[in-house]
Amino acid sequence: MSRASHTGRSVAHVDGVWFDDARDATIGVLDHGLLYGDGVFEGIRFYGPEPFALDAHLRRLRASARALVLDVPWSDERLGALCRETARRTGLQDGYIRLVVTRGMGALGVSPASCERPSLILIGAPLALYPAQALEQGVDVVTSSLRRAASDALPPQVKSLNYLTNVLASIEARRQGAHEALLLDAEGRVAECTADNLFVVHGGVARTPPATDGALRGITRDHVVGLLDAAGVPVIEASLVLADVWTADEAFMTGTGAEVVAIRSVDGRPFPAAPGPLTRRAQELFAASVRGG
């Protein structure tokens, strides 16, 4: 699989101002997104000049914002144009856009009543989440000691700026020499990895956890499900426990940044093949759908 080029640059747009170097971009210290994680975001890939699945990302952004009672005053047409301009300014043919809406500037204190207007941030950059060898041979995953928050506490379908559980799980994985961490829900069911959805394969059938078990309904996840279904590969959305993962024939992750990445081992238990045949099929189908092969 080809990965994002590093020959371009990271750019940013903050409330109407463009920055040719994202490191020069700033937000106010009283922004509630910074102070309280009060905001929403989308990570969007672009291939050539066009952001991938842009309409789906904007729908999810608005749904997340609605759940947080956060106003998004910009039209989809305006947001789409800014995403395309962000991609163009990077000079990349394959890269990543982070689209962020925060509650905006306000007084200290958790109440957002003092926030007069939201802030809009876009960042465009190259992206490569894993080393080349890991992409070729698969990544190692460990189960985190942390649990996904219950849906009545922080719904997994709200893609908010509060990613602390994911950050801590990622630190935990790295300290154990793994590339990724697997998160379970409060009942011990498999939810997802820190930034990607999980698929396991048993006897040629792929299974992936439902959103009700703490998984974000990923846009890349749904795209891959559609590709496999069209290719005649059975895919089932079903609850999983750790034993289902440990005993799988193969496993892989999907995500905006990761695309489709094979898993080599989980909790020190290697899979018979990595990438396995169905994982390779998913990678090939995905690459063909976004890059024409």
Side-chain angles (χ1 to χ4, degrees):
M1 297 170 62
S2 62
R3 307 303 297 175
S5 166
H6 291 274
T7 58
R9 59 184 178 178
S10 297
V11 303
H13 172 280
V14 181
D15 290 332
V17 179
W18 286 101
F19 298 85
D20 290 335
D21 188 334
R23 295 172 296 182
D24 296 331
T26 60
I27 62 168
V29 295
L30 293 178
D31 189 285
H32 272 222
L34 169 67
L35 293 174
Y36 306 110
D38 189 3
V40 296
F41 79 96
E42 285 292 318
I44 306 168
R45 287 297 288 262
F46 60 89
Y47 303 96
E50 187 61 28
F52 175 67
L54 180 59
D55 290 345
H57 280 291
L58 294 180
R59 282 195 301 271
R60 191 169 66 181
L61 179 83
R62 291 190 184 280
S64 295
R66 189 162 61 250
L68 297 187
V69 198
L70 173 59
D71 183 38
V72 180
W74 306 276
S75 68
D76 283 0
E77 291 74 17
R78 176 59 178 160
L79 293 175
L82 285 170
C83 286
R84 293 183 181 92
E85 179 65 10
T86 300
R88 187 192 69 78
R89 285 174 178 257
T90 66
L92 296 163
Q93 288 299 305
D94 182 348
Y96 179 83
I97 299 166
R98 174 63 59 91
L99 172 60
V100 182
V101 179
T102 78
R103 188 80 62 177
M105 297 280 284
L108 289 174
V110 296
S111 172
S114 62
C115 300
E116 295 184 1
R117 61 181 180 275
S119 285
L120 176 63
I121 301 166
L122 293 97
I123 305 165
L127 182 70
L129 296 182
Y130 305 108
Q133 184 178 7
L135 293 173
E136 294 169 2
Q137 300 177 3
V139 298
D140 296 311
V141 177
V142 294
T143 302
S144 174
S145 63
L146 302 163
R147 295 296 177 102
R148 172 65 71 215
S151 60
D152 59 351
L154 185 64
Q157 295 312 298
V158 177
K159 201 169 175 66
S160 77
L161 298 182
N162 184 347
Y163 255 52
L164 188 56
T165 299
N166 307 61
V167 169
L168 293 175
S170 179
I171 293 171
E172 189 176 23
R174 298 288 173 168
R175 286 182 171 179
Q176 296 183 42
H179 301 96
E180 252 293 359
L182 183 64
L183 290 162
L184 309 180
D185 72 1
E187 304 301 321
R189 294 180 293 257
V190 174
E192 60 183 356
C193 295
T194 62
D196 304 303
N197 290 114
L198 175 74
F199 288 77
V200 297
V201 180
H202 290 263
V205 177
R207 292 195 289 169
T208 188
T212 51
D213 290 351
L216 177 71
R217 194 173 185 89
I219 289 170
T220 303
R221 168 193 185 270
D222 286 353
H223 182 65
V224 169
V225 168
L227 292 172
L228 291 174
D229 182 66
V233 177
V235 183
I236 300 172
E237 189 176 273
S239 294
L240 303 172
V241 295
L242 267 177
D244 295 318
V245 182
W246 292 341
T247 61
D249 301 324
E250 55 182 295
F252 61 92
M253 301 181 300
T254 63
T256 295
E259 299 182 322
V260 182
V261 175
I263 297 176
R264 181 171 60 182
S265 70
V266 174
D267 297 329
R269 296 163 172 84
F271 291 105
L278 198 150
T279 301
R280 288 190 183 277
R281 182 66 172 141
Q283 290 174 330
E284 291 164 357
L285 289 168
F286 183 84
S289 73
V290 299
R291 299 187 181 91

